[in-house]
């Protein structure tokens, strides 16, 4: 909205902002697909349009529009000159984008702007794409590809004699060779494209993605789709509020410690927080103490109040936090809401039961020194120490299986509640897991298209 205010500078900003908010189209596609002849930009644009349920805008359908005086002028000019003046084309685009379909469903421009002049005109009218995709490929590849191009005059679908020949004889028989695809004509168009594209792309430095078109069309499409579903990094200050979910033994505590150390986040362990409240004899600690003594679960309402109190403290507000140990189910997740308590990054660490059993059932503690060991990964240095090691009853195989089963039974509902959660394979090197967590925190969340 601020971007549009700066572009349009309305005399009455309040009505302008109200109208903008009523459109509710902040997340609709606004995409430009550029590329040389035979790069496949029309195919990619059409596939994106179908997948995103958006509106495809091409030179052809803009000038073919009925009941438009601008389109009628453009058709007359195109019939005489085989081109449309840039100003007329841009005004056609502006007219089309004001229609309800484009406002609500977004738009995809195929091959427009073709010149720097058109790009600057489009920008001056406040038409700002969110994603620009530029396809590229060697000229030799494009010339060869263009020679085999065929078009279905009924549907407008593009086929190729080598790479994408339709299996239906009916379609094969009606395909036609488009005009202007000879080797000489293609080379001239490629030269013109190269002259223009180097002056267009610098206008979109932060929203541009260059994709090699010298690969299967499906691969190009999925790279393009992945890009347009990603939100751009905001310059606004970002305070991470990270929630780590996973079964017992999935490495939540270790990853929380690594994140807290590197990014100065406050490490909030729910179980440790309850113990500290009891040790400090706080008002919540006095309420929690009887449950500890009877080895009963602390009621969710008490845990929620204690957590929200901690997450609302100044260090959490300024530095951000990483929480683990709560929530364990959807009911608990619903309690963890509020301005300071709602996470903005949620990760699920998935680890198979066999690995969890190996991690936990082999843990031991030295009752003399308090040192912790693992019979496989960190064995005791002497037989004397090994002989006196003790196992925590919670680390028995029976208890581990019970807790793991409880988590994975409740996990699907929890994942559904946190729709934008990122699921990671926790059964790998801890620092590899940490790299994935870092990427999920630093990078914008992808947009999910129904």
């Amino acid at each position: 909205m601020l971007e549009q205010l700066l572009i349009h500078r309305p005399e009455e900003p309040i009505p302008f902002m109200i109208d903008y908010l009523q459109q509710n189209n902040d997340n609709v596609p606004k995409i430009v697909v550029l590329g040389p002849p035979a790069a496949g930009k029309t195919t990619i644009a059409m596939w994106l349009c179908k997948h995103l349920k958006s509106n495809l805008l091409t030179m052809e359908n803009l000038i073919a529009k009925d009941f438009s005086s601008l389109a009628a002028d453009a058709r007359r000019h195109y019939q005489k000159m085989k081109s449309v003046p840039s100003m007329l084309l841009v005004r056609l685009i502006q007219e089309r984008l004001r229609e309800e379909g484009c406002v609500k469903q977004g738009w995809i421009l195929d091959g427009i702007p073709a010149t720097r002049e058109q790009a600057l005109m489009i920008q001056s009218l406040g038409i700002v794409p969110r994603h620009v995709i530029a396809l590229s490929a060697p000229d030799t590849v494009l010339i060869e590809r263009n020679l085999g191009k065929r078009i279905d005059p009924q549907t407008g679908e593009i086929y190729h004699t080598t790479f994408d020949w339709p299996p239906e004889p009916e379609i094969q028989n009606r395909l036609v060779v488009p005009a202007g695809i000879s080797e000489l004509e293609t080379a001239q168009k490629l030269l013109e494209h190269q002259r223009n594209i180097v002056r267009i792309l610098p206008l979109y430095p932060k929203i541009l993605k260059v994709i090699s078109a010298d690969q299967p069309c499906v691969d190009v499409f999925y790279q393009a789709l992945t890009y347009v579903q990603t939100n751009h990094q905001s310059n606004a200050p970002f305070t991470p509020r990270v929630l780590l979910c996973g079964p017992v033994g999935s490495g939540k505590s270790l990853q929380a410690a690594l994140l807290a150390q590197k990014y100065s986040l406050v490490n909030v362990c729910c179980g440790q927080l309850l113990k500290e409240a009891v040790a400090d004899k706080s008002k919540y600690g006095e309420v929690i103490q009887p449950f500890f003594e009877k080895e009963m679960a602390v009621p969710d309402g008490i845990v929620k109040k204690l957590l929200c109190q901690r997450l609302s403290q100044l260090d959490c507000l300024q530095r951000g936090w990483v929480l683990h140990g709560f929530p364990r189910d959807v009911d608990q997740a619903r309690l963890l809401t509020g301005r300071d308590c709602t996470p903005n990054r949620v990760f699920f660490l998935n680890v198979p039961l066999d690995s969890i059993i190996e991690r936990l059932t082999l843990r031991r503690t030295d009752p003399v020194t308090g040192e912790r060991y693992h019979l496989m990964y960190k064995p005791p240095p002497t037989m004397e120490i090994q002989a006196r090691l003790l196992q925590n009853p919670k680390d028995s195989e029976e208890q581990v299986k019970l807790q793991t089963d409880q988590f994975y039974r409740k996990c699907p509902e929890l994942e559904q509640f946190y729709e934008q959660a990122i699921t990671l394979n926790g059964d790998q090197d801890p620092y590899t897991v940490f790299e994935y967590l870092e990427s999920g925190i630093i990078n914008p969340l992808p947009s999910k298209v129904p």
Side-chain angles (χ1 to χ4, degrees), residues 189-245:
K189 291 177 181 177
L190 288 172
L191 181 60
E192 182 181 1
H193 171 79
Q194 293 298 336
R195 287 172 176 167
N196 287 314
I197 198 69
V198 294
R199 301 179 66 232
I200 295 173
L201 298 187
L203 298 176
Y204 305 108
K206 295 183 179 179
I207 57 173
L208 173 65
K209 173 76 170 178
V210 178
I211 299 176
S212 171
D214 189 14
Q215 55 182 320
C217 198
V218 173
D219 294 343
V220 177
F221 168 68
Y222 279 113
Q223 289 181 45
L225 181 63
T226 300
Y227 176 62
V228 300
Q229 289 180 338
T230 302
N231 294 320
H232 295 296
Q233 184 72 50
S234 170
N235 291 324
F238 173 66
T239 304
R241 299 192 298 273
V242 183
L243 172 62
L244 300 181
C245 298

Side-chain angles (χ1 to χ4, degrees), residues 391-407:
Q391 183 187 40
N392 190 319
K394 293 182 180 179
D395 289 343
S396 69
E397 186 169 335
E398 182 182 351
Q399 284 295 316
V400 170
K401 286 182 176 178
L402 177 63
Q403 292 185 59
T404 304
D405 180 63
Q406 287 176 344
F407 173 80

Side-chain angles (χ1 to χ4, degrees), residues 239 311-321 339-340:
T239 304
L311 300 179
S312 300
Q313 291 179 7
L314 187 61
D315 58 346
C316 286
L317 296 178
Q318 291 182 337
R319 292 156 48 193
W321 45 262
R339 186 181 64 180
D340 304 320

Side-chain angles (χ1 to χ4, degrees), residues 363-404:
R363 294 194 301 194
R364 299 291 187 271
T365 303
D366 186 340
V368 176
T369 64
E371 185 73 23
R372 294 183 178 182
Y373 296 97
H374 192 281
L375 298 184
M376 181 177 293
Y377 304 126
K378 186 187 175 185
T382 66
M383 293 300 294
E384 179 186 357
I385 295 176
Q386 182 168 345
R388 65 180 187 236
L389 295 182
L390 299 176
Q391 183 187 40
N392 190 319
K394 293 182 180 179
D395 289 343
S396 69
E397 186 169 335
E398 182 182 351
Q399 284 295 316
V400 170
K401 286 182 176 178
L402 177 63
Q403 292 185 59
T404 304

Side-chain angles (χ1 to χ4, degrees), residues 196-336:
N196 287 314
I197 198 69
V198 294
R199 301 179 66 232
I200 295 173
L201 298 187
L203 298 176
Y204 305 108
K206 295 183 179 179
I207 57 173
L208 173 65
K209 173 76 170 178
V210 178
I211 299 176
S212 171
D214 189 14
Q215 55 182 320
C217 198
V218 173
D219 294 343
V220 177
F221 168 68
Y222 279 113
Q223 289 181 45
L225 181 63
T226 300
Y227 176 62
V228 300
Q229 289 180 338
T230 302
N231 294 320
H232 295 296
Q233 184 72 50
S234 170
N235 291 324
F238 173 66
T239 304
R241 299 192 298 273
V242 183
L243 172 62
L244 300 181
C245 298
V248 59
S250 59
K252 301 185 297 294
S253 298
L254 174 59
Q255 297 302 330
L258 292 172
L259 288 171
Q261 180 182 24
K262 182 163 184 178
Y263 294 101
S264 298
L265 305 180
V266 179
N267 188 349
V268 183
C269 172
C270 183
Q272 187 63 30
L273 194 63
L274 295 174
K275 294 176 184 176
E276 291 174 358
V278 172
D280 294 341
K281 297 182 179 179
S282 65
K283 65 175 183 177
Y284 288 118
E286 293 175 357
V287 178
I288 295 169
Q289 175 105 30
F291 295 97
F292 272 24
E293 292 173 351
K294 298 175 184 178
E295 296 185 354
M296 295 172 59
V298 180
D300 291 346
I302 298 173
V303 178
K304 180 252 185 180
K305 290 179 181 178
L306 184 63
L307 269 175
C308 288
Q309 180 192 63
R310 180 67 187 93
L311 300 179
S312 300
Q313 291 179 7
L314 187 61
D315 58 346
C316 286
L317 296 178
Q318 291 182 337
R319 292 156 48 193
W321 45 262
V322 51
L323 170 65
H324 51 108
F326 190 95
R328 290 189 172 94
D329 56 44
V330 175
D331 292 333
Q332 292 181 349
R334 291 194 180 102
L335 292 174
L336 198 64

